[in-house]
Coordinates of all heavy atoms in Angstrom, one line a residue:
Y1132 N -89.3 16.4 30.5 CA -90.7 16.7 30.3 C -91.4 15.4 29.9 O -92.5 15.2 30.4 CB -90.8 17.8 29.2 CG -92.2 17.9 28.7 CD1 -93.2 18.6 29.4 CD2 -92.6 17.4 27.4 CE1 -94.5 18.7 28.9 CE2 -93.9 17.5 26.9 CZ -94.8 18.2 27.7 OH -96.1 18.3 27.2
G1137 N -95.1 14.7 30.4 CA -95.6 14.1 29.3 C -96.7 14.9 28.6 O -97.3 15.7 29.2
P1138 N -96.9 14.6 27.3 CA -97.9 15.4 26.5 C -99.3 15.1 26.9 O -100.2 15.9 26.8 CB -97.6 15.0 25.1 CG -96.8 13.7 25.2 CD -96.1 13.7 26.5
D1139 N -99.5 13.9 27.5 CA -100.9 13.5 27.9 C -101.3 14.4 29.1 O -102.5 14.9 29.1 CB -101.0 12.1 28.3 CG -100.8 11.1 27.1 OD1 -101.1 11.6 25.9 OD2 -100.3 10.0 27.3
Q1140 N -100.4 14.7 30.0 CA -100.8 15.5 31.1 C -101.0 16.9 30.7 O -101.9 17.6 31.1 CB -99.6 15.5 32.2 CG -100.0 16.3 33.4 CD -99.0 16.3 34.5 OE1 -98.1 15.5 34.5 NE2 -99.1 17.2 35.5
W1141 N -100.2 17.4 29.7 CA -100.4 18.8 29.2 C -101.8 18.9 28.5 O -102.5 19.8 28.7 CB -99.3 19.1 28.2 CG -99.5 20.4 27.5 CD1 -99.1 21.6 28.1 CD2 -100.3 20.7 26.3 NE1 -99.5 22.6 27.2 CE2 -100.2 22.1 26.2 CE3 -100.9 19.9 25.4 CZ2 -100.8 22.7 25.0 CZ3 -101.4 20.6 24.3 CH2 -101.4 21.9 24.2
A1142 N -102.2 17.8 27.8 CA -103.4 17.9 27.0 C -104.6 17.9 28.0 O -105.6 18.5 27.8 CB -103.5 16.7 26.1
S1143 N -104.4 17.1 29.1 CA -105.6 17.0 30.0 C -105.7 18.4 30.8 O -106.8 18.8 31.1 CB -105.4 15.8 31.0 OG -104.7 16.2 32.2
E1144 N -104.6 19.0 31.1 CA -104.6 20.3 31.8 C -105.3 21.3 30.9 O -106.0 22.2 31.3 CB -103.2 20.8 32.2 CG -102.6 20.1 33.3 CD -101.1 20.5 33.6 OE1 -100.7 21.6 33.1 OE2 -100.4 19.8 34.3
F1145 N -104.9 21.3 29.6 CA -105.5 22.2 28.7 C -107.0 22.0 28.5 O -107.7 23.0 28.6 CB -104.8 22.0 27.3 CG -105.4 22.9 26.2 CD1 -105.0 24.2 26.1 CD2 -106.3 22.5 25.3 CE1 -105.5 25.1 25.2 CE2 -106.9 23.3 24.4 CZ -106.4 24.6 24.3
A1146 N -107.4 20.8 28.5 CA -108.8 20.5 28.4 C -109.6 20.9 29.6 O -110.7 21.5 29.5 CB -109.1 19.0 28.1
T1147 N -109.0 20.7 30.8 CA -109.6 21.1 32.0 C -109.8 22.6 32.1 O -110.9 23.1 32.4 CB -108.8 20.6 33.2 OG1 -108.7 19.2 33.2 CG2 -109.4 21.0 34.6
E1148 N -108.7 23.3 31.7 CA -108.8 24.8 31.7 C -109.8 25.3 30.7 O -110.5 26.3 31.0 CB -107.4 25.3 31.4 CG -107.2 26.7 31.9 CD -105.7 27.1 31.9 OE1 -104.9 26.4 32.4 OE2 -105.5 28.2 31.2
R1149 N -109.8 24.7 29.6 CA -110.9 25.0 28.6 C -112.3 24.9 29.0 O -113.1 25.7 28.8 CB -110.6 24.2 27.3 CG -111.6 24.4 26.2 CD -111.3 25.7 25.5 NE -112.2 26.0 24.4 CZ -113.0 27.0 24.4 NH1 -113.0 27.9 25.2 NH2 -113.9 27.1 23.4
E1150 N -112.5 23.8 29.7 CA -113.8 23.6 30.3 C -114.2 24.6 31.4 O -115.3 25.1 31.4 CB -113.9 22.2 30.9 CG -114.0 21.1 29.9 CD -115.2 21.2 29.0 OE1 -116.3 21.5 29.5 OE2 -115.1 20.9 27.8
Q1151 N -113.2 25.0 32.2 CA -113.4 26.0 33.2 C -113.8 27.4 32.6 O -114.6 28.1 33.1 CB -112.2 26.2 34.1 CG -112.0 25.0 34.9 CD -110.7 25.1 35.7 OE1 -109.8 26.0 35.5 NE2 -110.5 24.1 36.6
H1152 N -113.2 27.7 31.4 CA -113.4 29.0 30.8 C -114.5 29.0 29.8 O -114.9 30.0 29.2 CB -112.0 29.5 30.2 CG -111.0 29.8 31.2 ND1 -111.1 30.7 32.2 CD2 -109.8 29.3 31.3 CE1 -110.1 30.7 32.9 NE2 -109.2 29.8 32.4
R1153 N -115.0 27.8 29.5 CA -116.1 27.7 28.5 C -117.3 28.5 28.9 O -117.9 29.2 28.0 CB -116.5 26.2 28.3 CG -117.6 26.1 27.2 CD -117.9 24.7 26.9 NE -116.8 23.9 26.6 CZ -116.4 23.7 25.3 NH1 -117.2 24.2 24.3 NH2 -115.4 23.0 25.0
D1156 N -116.7 32.1 27.9 CA -116.9 32.2 26.4 C -118.4 32.2 26.0 O -118.8 33.0 25.2 CB -116.1 31.1 25.6 CG -114.6 31.2 25.9 OD1 -114.2 32.3 26.3 OD2 -113.9 30.2 25.6

Side-chain angles (χ1 to χ4, degrees):
Y1132 168 76
D1139 293 333
Q1140 182 177 350
W1141 177 86
S1143 95
E1144 285 177 18
F1145 180 79
T1147 302
E1148 200 168 307
R1149 176 74 179 120
E1150 286 300 319
Q1151 291 172 351
H1152 295 299
R1153 182 177 302 268
D1156 294 342

